[in-house]
PDB file of all heavy atoms in Angstrom:
ATOM      1  N   GLY A   1      19.776 -22.717 -41.273  1.00  0.00           N
ATOM      2  CA  GLY A   1      18.558 -21.956 -41.039  1.00  0.00           C
ATOM      3  C   GLY A   1      17.364 -22.416 -41.837  1.00  0.00           C
ATOM      4  O   GLY A   1      16.248 -22.034 -41.535  1.00  0.00           O
ATOM      5  N   GLY A   2      17.555 -23.237 -42.872  1.00  0.00           N
ATOM      6  CA  GLY A   2      16.439 -23.614 -43.724  1.00  0.00           C
ATOM      7  C   GLY A   2      15.423 -24.468 -43.012  1.00  0.00           C
ATOM      8  O   GLY A   2      14.256 -24.098 -42.865  1.00  0.00           O
ATOM      9  N   THR A   3      15.866 -25.639 -42.520  1.00  0.00           N
ATOM     10  CA  THR A   3      14.943 -26.544 -41.862  1.00  0.00           C
ATOM     11  C   THR A   3      14.420 -25.952 -40.570  1.00  0.00           C
ATOM     12  O   THR A   3      13.228 -26.057 -40.264  1.00  0.00           O
ATOM     13  CB  THR A   3      15.641 -27.891 -41.588  1.00  0.00           C
ATOM     14  OG1 THR A   3      16.057 -28.447 -42.832  1.00  0.00           O
ATOM     15  CG2 THR A   3      14.707 -28.855 -40.901  1.00  0.00           C
ATOM     16  N   SER A   4      15.296 -25.297 -39.793  1.00  0.00           N
ATOM     17  CA  SER A   4      14.836 -24.716 -38.537  1.00  0.00           C
ATOM     18  C   SER A   4      13.784 -23.648 -38.785  1.00  0.00           C
ATOM     19  O   SER A   4      12.833 -23.508 -38.015  1.00  0.00           O
ATOM     20  CB  SER A   4      16.011 -24.125 -37.757  1.00  0.00           C
ATOM     21  OG  SER A   4      16.629 -23.087 -38.485  1.00  0.00           O
ATOM     22  N   ALA A   5      13.938 -22.891 -39.874  1.00  0.00           N
ATOM     23  CA  ALA A   5      12.952 -21.858 -40.179  1.00  0.00           C
ATOM     24  C   ALA A   5      11.602 -22.473 -40.509  1.00  0.00           C
ATOM     25  O   ALA A   5      10.561 -21.973 -40.060  1.00  0.00           O
ATOM     26  CB  ALA A   5      13.440 -21.007 -41.346  1.00  0.00           C
ATOM     27  N   LEU A   6      11.607 -23.572 -41.269  1.00  0.00           N
ATOM     28  CA  LEU A   6      10.323 -24.196 -41.597  1.00  0.00           C
ATOM     29  C   LEU A   6       9.726 -24.901 -40.387  1.00  0.00           C
ATOM     30  O   LEU A   6       8.511 -24.979 -40.254  1.00  0.00           O
ATOM     31  CB  LEU A   6      10.496 -25.168 -42.771  1.00  0.00           C
ATOM     32  CG  LEU A   6      10.420 -24.514 -44.157  1.00  0.00           C
ATOM     33  CD1 LEU A   6      10.423 -25.571 -45.246  1.00  0.00           C
ATOM     34  CD2 LEU A   6       9.184 -23.641 -44.300  1.00  0.00           C
ATOM     35  N   GLN A   7      10.571 -25.405 -39.496  1.00  0.00           N
ATOM     36  CA  GLN A   7      10.048 -25.969 -38.248  1.00  0.00           C
ATOM     37  C   GLN A   7       9.381 -24.870 -37.424  1.00  0.00           C
ATOM     38  O   GLN A   7       8.332 -25.092 -36.808  1.00  0.00           O
ATOM     39  CB  GLN A   7      11.177 -26.626 -37.462  1.00  0.00           C
ATOM     40  CG  GLN A   7      11.671 -27.924 -38.079  1.00  0.00           C
ATOM     41  CD  GLN A   7      12.871 -28.483 -37.341  1.00  0.00           C
ATOM     42  OE1 GLN A   7      13.237 -27.980 -36.281  1.00  0.00           O
ATOM     43  NE2 GLN A   7      13.486 -29.497 -37.886  1.00  0.00           N
ATOM     44  N   ASP A   8       9.996 -23.701 -37.418  1.00  0.00           N
ATOM     45  CA  ASP A   8       9.352 -22.572 -36.747  1.00  0.00           C
ATOM     46  C   ASP A   8       8.021 -22.248 -37.407  1.00  0.00           C
ATOM     47  O   ASP A   8       7.036 -21.928 -36.729  1.00  0.00           O
ATOM     48  CB  ASP A   8      10.265 -21.340 -36.802  1.00  0.00           C
ATOM     49  CG  ASP A   8      11.513 -21.500 -35.941  1.00  0.00           C
ATOM     50  OD1 ASP A   8      11.572 -22.488 -35.174  1.00  0.00           O
ATOM     51  OD2 ASP A   8      12.420 -20.662 -36.053  1.00  0.00           O
ATOM     52  N   ALA A   9       7.987 -22.318 -38.744  1.00  0.00           N
ATOM     53  CA  ALA A   9       6.736 -22.052 -39.459  1.00  0.00           C
ATOM     54  C   ALA A   9       5.677 -23.074 -39.090  1.00  0.00           C
ATOM     55  O   ALA A   9       4.488 -22.746 -38.956  1.00  0.00           O
ATOM     56  CB  ALA A   9       6.979 -22.067 -40.972  1.00  0.00           C
ATOM     57  N   VAL A  10       6.108 -24.327 -38.895  1.00  0.00           N
ATOM     58  CA  VAL A  10       5.176 -25.373 -38.478  1.00  0.00           C
ATOM     59  C   VAL A  10       4.586 -25.049 -37.108  1.00  0.00           C
ATOM     60  O   VAL A  10       3.396 -25.241 -36.859  1.00  0.00           O
ATOM     61  CB  VAL A  10       5.891 -26.743 -38.460  1.00  0.00           C
ATOM     62  CG1 VAL A  10       5.056 -27.782 -37.741  1.00  0.00           C
ATOM     63  CG2 VAL A  10       6.181 -27.198 -39.879  1.00  0.00           C
ATOM     64  N   ILE A  11       5.436 -24.527 -36.209  1.00  0.00           N
ATOM     65  CA  ILE A  11       4.948 -24.138 -34.884  1.00  0.00           C
ATOM     66  C   ILE A  11       3.935 -23.000 -35.010  1.00  0.00           C
ATOM     67  O   ILE A  11       2.911 -22.983 -34.327  1.00  0.00           O
ATOM     68  CB  ILE A  11       6.122 -23.726 -33.984  1.00  0.00           C
ATOM     69  CG1 ILE A  11       6.978 -24.951 -33.665  1.00  0.00           C
ATOM     70  CG2 ILE A  11       5.631 -23.068 -32.706  1.00  0.00           C
ATOM     71  CD1 ILE A  11       8.184 -24.661 -32.831  1.00  0.00           C
ATOM     72  N   ILE A  12       4.213 -22.068 -35.913  1.00  0.00           N
ATOM     73  CA  ILE A  12       3.293 -20.941 -36.102  1.00  0.00           C
ATOM     74  C   ILE A  12       1.939 -21.430 -36.614  1.00  0.00           C
ATOM     75  O   ILE A  12       0.885 -20.968 -36.170  1.00  0.00           O
ATOM     76  CB  ILE A  12       3.905 -19.924 -37.086  1.00  0.00           C
ATOM     77  CG1 ILE A  12       5.148 -19.277 -36.458  1.00  0.00           C
ATOM     78  CG2 ILE A  12       2.889 -18.846 -37.458  1.00  0.00           C
ATOM     79  CD1 ILE A  12       5.973 -18.478 -37.443  1.00  0.00           C
ATOM     80  N   THR A  13       1.951 -22.379 -37.549  1.00  0.00           N
ATOM     81  CA  THR A  13       0.675 -22.906 -38.065  1.00  0.00           C
ATOM     82  C   THR A  13       0.042 -23.882 -37.090  1.00  0.00           C
ATOM     83  O   THR A  13      -1.177 -24.047 -37.084  1.00  0.00           O
ATOM     84  CB  THR A  13       0.876 -23.596 -39.425  1.00  0.00           C
ATOM     85  OG1 THR A  13       1.848 -24.659 -39.279  1.00  0.00           O
ATOM     86  CG2 THR A  13       1.358 -22.618 -40.474  1.00  0.00           C
ATOM     87  N   GLY A  14       0.877 -24.531 -36.255  1.00  0.00           N
ATOM     88  CA  GLY A  14       0.317 -25.486 -35.313  1.00  0.00           C
ATOM     89  C   GLY A  14      -0.327 -24.842 -34.111  1.00  0.00           C
ATOM     90  O   GLY A  14      -1.326 -25.347 -33.589  1.00  0.00           O
ATOM     91  N   ALA A  15       0.219 -23.711 -33.653  1.00  0.00           N
ATOM     92  CA  ALA A  15      -0.307 -23.061 -32.453  1.00  0.00           C
ATOM     93  C   ALA A  15      -1.802 -22.727 -32.543  1.00  0.00           C
ATOM     94  O   ALA A  15      -2.534 -22.966 -31.571  1.00  0.00           O
ATOM     95  CB  ALA A  15       0.505 -21.808 -32.146  1.00  0.00           C
ATOM     96  N   PRO A  16      -2.294 -22.187 -33.685  1.00  0.00           N
ATOM     97  CA  PRO A  16      -3.731 -21.920 -33.748  1.00  0.00           C
ATOM     98  C   PRO A  16      -4.589 -23.170 -33.567  1.00  0.00           C
ATOM     99  O   PRO A  16      -5.727 -23.082 -33.089  1.00  0.00           O
ATOM    100  CB  PRO A  16      -3.924 -21.335 -35.157  1.00  0.00           C
ATOM    101  CG  PRO A  16      -2.596 -20.768 -35.511  1.00  0.00           C
ATOM    102  CD  PRO A  16      -1.599 -21.686 -34.878  1.00  0.00           C
ATOM    103  N   PHE A  17      -4.043 -24.340 -33.914  1.00  0.00           N
ATOM    104  CA  PHE A  17      -4.826 -25.557 -33.777  1.00  0.00           C
ATOM    105  C   PHE A  17      -4.958 -25.993 -32.327  1.00  0.00           C
ATOM    106  O   PHE A  17      -5.767 -26.873 -32.023  1.00  0.00           O
ATOM    107  CB  PHE A  17      -4.243 -26.671 -34.651  1.00  0.00           C
ATOM    108  CG  PHE A  17      -4.799 -26.650 -36.039  1.00  0.00           C
ATOM    109  CD1 PHE A  17      -4.152 -25.972 -37.048  1.00  0.00           C
ATOM    110  CD2 PHE A  17      -6.006 -27.264 -36.325  1.00  0.00           C
ATOM    111  CE1 PHE A  17      -4.680 -25.909 -38.325  1.00  0.00           C
ATOM    112  CE2 PHE A  17      -6.542 -27.215 -37.590  1.00  0.00           C
ATOM    113  CZ  PHE A  17      -5.887 -26.546 -38.599  1.00  0.00           C
ATOM    114  N   ALA A  18      -4.185 -25.390 -31.408  1.00  0.00           N
ATOM    115  CA  ALA A  18      -4.443 -25.624 -29.994  1.00  0.00           C
ATOM    116  C   ALA A  18      -5.849 -25.140 -29.654  1.00  0.00           C
ATOM    117  O   ALA A  18      -6.594 -25.819 -28.930  1.00  0.00           O
ATOM    118  CB  ALA A  18      -3.402 -24.890 -29.145  1.00  0.00           C
ATOM    119  N   PHE A  19      -6.216 -24.009 -30.201  1.00  0.00           N
ATOM    120  CA  PHE A  19      -7.544 -23.451 -29.928  1.00  0.00           C
ATOM    121  C   PHE A  19      -8.630 -24.210 -30.703  1.00  0.00           C
ATOM    122  O   PHE A  19      -9.748 -24.361 -30.218  1.00  0.00           O
ATOM    123  CB  PHE A  19      -7.549 -21.964 -30.264  1.00  0.00           C
ATOM    124  CG  PHE A  19      -6.535 -21.178 -29.480  1.00  0.00           C
ATOM    125  CD1 PHE A  19      -5.294 -20.887 -30.014  1.00  0.00           C
ATOM    126  CD2 PHE A  19      -6.815 -20.773 -28.181  1.00  0.00           C
ATOM    127  CE1 PHE A  19      -4.343 -20.179 -29.281  1.00  0.00           C
ATOM    128  CE2 PHE A  19      -5.877 -20.075 -27.436  1.00  0.00           C
ATOM    129  CZ  PHE A  19      -4.634 -19.778 -27.989  1.00  0.00           C
ATOM    130  N   VAL A  20      -8.288 -24.701 -31.888  1.00  0.00           N
ATOM    131  CA  VAL A  20      -9.241 -25.533 -32.640  1.00  0.00           C
ATOM    132  C   VAL A  20      -9.504 -26.824 -31.867  1.00  0.00           C
ATOM    133  O   VAL A  20     -10.657 -27.259 -31.727  1.00  0.00           O
ATOM    134  CB  VAL A  20      -8.717 -25.840 -34.059  1.00  0.00           C
ATOM    135  CG1 VAL A  20      -9.651 -26.810 -34.772  1.00  0.00           C
ATOM    136  CG2 VAL A  20      -8.570 -24.557 -34.865  1.00  0.00           C
ATOM    137  N   CYS A  21      -8.440 -27.455 -31.354  1.00  0.00           N
ATOM    138  CA  CYS A  21      -8.604 -28.678 -30.574  1.00  0.00           C
ATOM    139  C   CYS A  21      -9.397 -28.412 -29.298  1.00  0.00           C
ATOM    140  O   CYS A  21     -10.237 -29.218 -28.888  1.00  0.00           O
ATOM    141  CB  CYS A  21      -7.239 -29.270 -30.218  1.00  0.00           C
ATOM    142  SG  CYS A  21      -6.366 -30.018 -31.604  1.00  0.00           S
ATOM    143  N   PHE A  22      -9.141 -27.263 -28.665  1.00  0.00           N
ATOM    144  CA  PHE A  22      -9.888 -26.904 -27.454  1.00  0.00           C
ATOM    145  C   PHE A  22     -11.369 -26.711 -27.767  1.00  0.00           C
ATOM    146  O   PHE A  22     -12.246 -27.199 -27.038  1.00  0.00           O
ATOM    147  CB  PHE A  22      -9.291 -25.634 -26.853  1.00  0.00           C
ATOM    148  CG  PHE A  22      -9.948 -25.196 -25.579  1.00  0.00           C
ATOM    149  CD1 PHE A  22      -9.822 -25.954 -24.419  1.00  0.00           C
ATOM    150  CD2 PHE A  22     -10.703 -24.030 -25.522  1.00  0.00           C
ATOM    151  CE1 PHE A  22     -10.421 -25.550 -23.225  1.00  0.00           C
ATOM    152  CE2 PHE A  22     -11.310 -23.621 -24.351  1.00  0.00           C
ATOM    153  CZ  PHE A  22     -11.167 -24.392 -23.200  1.00  0.00           C
ATOM    154  N   LEU A  23     -11.655 -26.035 -28.873  1.00  0.00           N
ATOM    155  CA  LEU A  23     -13.050 -25.844 -29.279  1.00  0.00           C
ATOM    156  C   LEU A  23     -13.702 -27.165 -29.672  1.00  0.00           C
ATOM    157  O   LEU A  23     -14.905 -27.371 -29.435  1.00  0.00           O
ATOM    158  CB  LEU A  23     -13.127 -24.848 -30.435  1.00  0.00           C
ATOM    159  CG  LEU A  23     -12.751 -23.401 -30.093  1.00  0.00           C
ATOM    160  CD1 LEU A  23     -12.742 -22.539 -31.356  1.00  0.00           C
ATOM    161  CD2 LEU A  23     -13.705 -22.818 -29.061  1.00  0.00           C
ATOM    162  N   ALA A  24     -12.920 -28.073 -30.276  1.00  0.00           N
ATOM    163  CA  ALA A  24     -13.456 -29.397 -30.610  1.00  0.00           C
ATOM    164  C   ALA A  24     -13.837 -30.146 -29.338  1.00  0.00           C
ATOM    165  O   ALA A  24     -14.886 -30.816 -29.288  1.00  0.00           O
ATOM    166  CB  ALA A  24     -12.411 -30.190 -31.404  1.00  0.00           C
ATOM    167  N   MET A  25     -13.011 -30.037 -28.306  1.00  0.00           N
ATOM    168  CA  MET A  25     -13.332 -30.661 -27.020  1.00  0.00           C
ATOM    169  C   MET A  25     -14.612 -30.063 -26.432  1.00  0.00           C
ATOM    170  O   MET A  25     -15.499 -30.795 -25.967  1.00  0.00           O
ATOM    171  CB  MET A  25     -12.169 -30.483 -26.053  1.00  0.00           C
ATOM    172  CG  MET A  25     -12.411 -31.093 -24.680  1.00  0.00           C
ATOM    173  SD  MET A  25     -11.034 -30.833 -23.524  1.00  0.00           S
ATOM    174  CE  MET A  25     -11.193 -29.072 -23.198  1.00  0.00           C
ATOM    175  N   LEU A  26     -14.723 -28.734 -26.470  1.00  0.00           N
ATOM    176  CA  LEU A  26     -15.943 -28.090 -25.963  1.00  0.00           C
ATOM    177  C   LEU A  26     -17.161 -28.490 -26.780  1.00  0.00           C
ATOM    178  O   LEU A  26     -18.265 -28.641 -26.226  1.00  0.00           O
ATOM    179  CB  LEU A  26     -15.774 -26.571 -25.984  1.00  0.00           C
ATOM    180  CG  LEU A  26     -14.712 -25.970 -25.055  1.00  0.00           C
ATOM    181  CD1 LEU A  26     -14.719 -24.450 -25.158  1.00  0.00           C
ATOM    182  CD2 LEU A  26     -14.949 -26.408 -23.614  1.00  0.00           C
ATOM    183  N   SER A  27     -16.985 -28.682 -28.089  1.00  0.00           N
ATOM    184  CA  SER A  27     -18.098 -29.110 -28.937  1.00  0.00           C
ATOM    185  C   SER A  27     -18.601 -30.482 -28.519  1.00  0.00           C
ATOM    186  O   SER A  27     -19.817 -30.727 -28.458  1.00  0.00           O
ATOM    187  CB  SER A  27     -17.657 -29.143 -30.406  1.00  0.00           C
ATOM    188  OG  SER A  27     -17.315 -27.852 -30.875  1.00  0.00           O
ATOM    189  N   LEU A  28     -17.671 -31.389 -28.228  1.00  0.00           N
ATOM    190  CA  LEU A  28     -18.074 -32.722 -27.781  1.00  0.00           C
ATOM    191  C   LEU A  28     -18.763 -32.656 -26.424  1.00  0.00           C
ATOM    192  O   LEU A  28     -19.800 -33.309 -26.206  1.00  0.00           O
ATOM    193  CB  LEU A  28     -16.838 -33.635 -27.694  1.00  0.00           C
ATOM    194  CG  LEU A  28     -16.229 -34.079 -29.026  1.00  0.00           C
ATOM    195  CD1 LEU A  28     -14.926 -34.827 -28.782  1.00  0.00           C
ATOM    196  CD2 LEU A  28     -17.201 -34.956 -29.813  1.00  0.00           C
ATOM    197  N   ILE A  29     -18.208 -31.874 -25.500  1.00  0.00           N
ATOM    198  CA  ILE A  29     -18.823 -31.749 -24.175  1.00  0.00           C
ATOM    199  C   ILE A  29     -20.243 -31.199 -24.294  1.00  0.00           C
ATOM    200  O   ILE A  29     -21.181 -31.701 -23.657  1.00  0.00           O
ATOM    201  CB  ILE A  29     -17.966 -30.844 -23.268  1.00  0.00           C
ATOM    202  CG1 ILE A  29     -16.615 -31.511 -22.968  1.00  0.00           C
ATOM    203  CG2 ILE A  29     -18.699 -30.518 -21.968  1.00  0.00           C
ATOM    204  CD1 ILE A  29     -15.629 -30.624 -22.237  1.00  0.00           C
ATOM    205  N   ARG A  30     -20.401 -30.193 -25.129  1.00  0.00           N
ATOM    206  CA  ARG A  30     -21.715 -29.576 -25.305  1.00  0.00           C
ATOM    207  C   ARG A  30     -22.715 -30.564 -25.878  1.00  0.00           C
ATOM    208  O   ARG A  30     -23.846 -30.687 -25.398  1.00  0.00           O
ATOM    209  CB  ARG A  30     -21.604 -28.363 -26.219  1.00  0.00           C
ATOM    210  CG  ARG A  30     -22.912 -27.619 -26.463  1.00  0.00           C
ATOM    211  CD  ARG A  30     -22.714 -26.449 -27.401  1.00  0.00           C
ATOM    212  NE  ARG A  30     -23.921 -25.664 -27.583  1.00  0.00           N
ATOM    213  CZ  ARG A  30     -24.883 -25.974 -28.440  1.00  0.00           C
ATOM    214  NH1 ARG A  30     -24.768 -27.068 -29.177  1.00  0.00           N
ATOM    215  NH2 ARG A  30     -25.960 -25.227 -28.554  1.00  0.00           N
ATOM    216  N   ASP A  31     -22.288 -31.312 -26.903  1.00  0.00           N
ATOM    217  CA  ASP A  31     -23.220 -32.231 -27.555  1.00  0.00           C
ATOM    218  C   ASP A  31     -23.504 -33.451 -26.696  1.00  0.00           C
ATOM    219  O   ASP A  31     -24.659 -33.886 -26.587  1.00  0.00           O
ATOM    220  CB  ASP A  31     -22.652 -32.671 -28.905  1.00  0.00           C
ATOM    221  CG  ASP A  31     -23.726 -33.246 -29.803  1.00  0.00           C
ATOM    222  OD1 ASP A  31     -23.986 -34.468 -29.739  1.00  0.00           O
ATOM    223  OD2 ASP A  31     -24.329 -32.474 -30.566  1.00  0.00           O
ATOM    224  N   PHE A  32     -22.483 -34.004 -26.053  1.00  0.00           N
ATOM    225  CA  PHE A  32     -22.694 -35.164 -25.187  1.00  0.00           C
ATOM    226  C   PHE A  32     -23.603 -34.798 -24.023  1.00  0.00           C
ATOM    227  O   PHE A  32     -24.486 -35.561 -23.637  1.00  0.00           O
ATOM    228  CB  PHE A  32     -21.355 -35.683 -24.651  1.00  0.00           C
ATOM    229  CG  PHE A  32     -20.486 -36.346 -25.688  1.00  0.00           C
ATOM    230  CD1 PHE A  32     -19.173 -36.677 -25.380  1.00  0.00           C
ATOM    231  CD2 PHE A  32     -20.960 -36.638 -26.955  1.00  0.00           C
ATOM    232  CE1 PHE A  32     -18.358 -37.286 -26.322  1.00  0.00           C
ATOM    233  CE2 PHE A  32     -20.156 -37.239 -27.908  1.00  0.00           C
ATOM    234  CZ  PHE A  32     -18.844 -37.562 -27.589  1.00  0.00           C
ATOM    235  N   GLY A  33     -23.368 -33.619 -23.436  1.00  0.00           N
ATOM    236  CA  GLY A  33     -24.191 -33.201 -22.324  1.00  0.00           C
ATOM    237  C   GLY A  33     -25.635 -32.918 -22.722  1.00  0.00           C
ATOM    238  O   GLY A  33     -26.552 -33.106 -21.927  1.00  0.00           O
TER     239      GLY A  33
END
């Protein structure tokens, strides 16, 4: 359970960055346009 638990923790911290990456894409689209 040790490594699997920390891998789960990585998923928990990684999921919010889906929205950060999405906002980064929108930032580029906005500025390029």
Side-chain angles (χ1 to χ4, degrees):
T3 300
S4 62
L6 275 187
Q7 288 175 8
D8 291 351
V10 167
I11 292 178
I12 293 168
T13 58
F17 272 93
F19 301 96
V20 175
C21 288
F22 182 68
L23 292 175
M25 180 182 71
L26 295 182
S27 296
L28 288 173
I29 294 172
R30 181 181 184 277
D31 198 271
F32 290 170

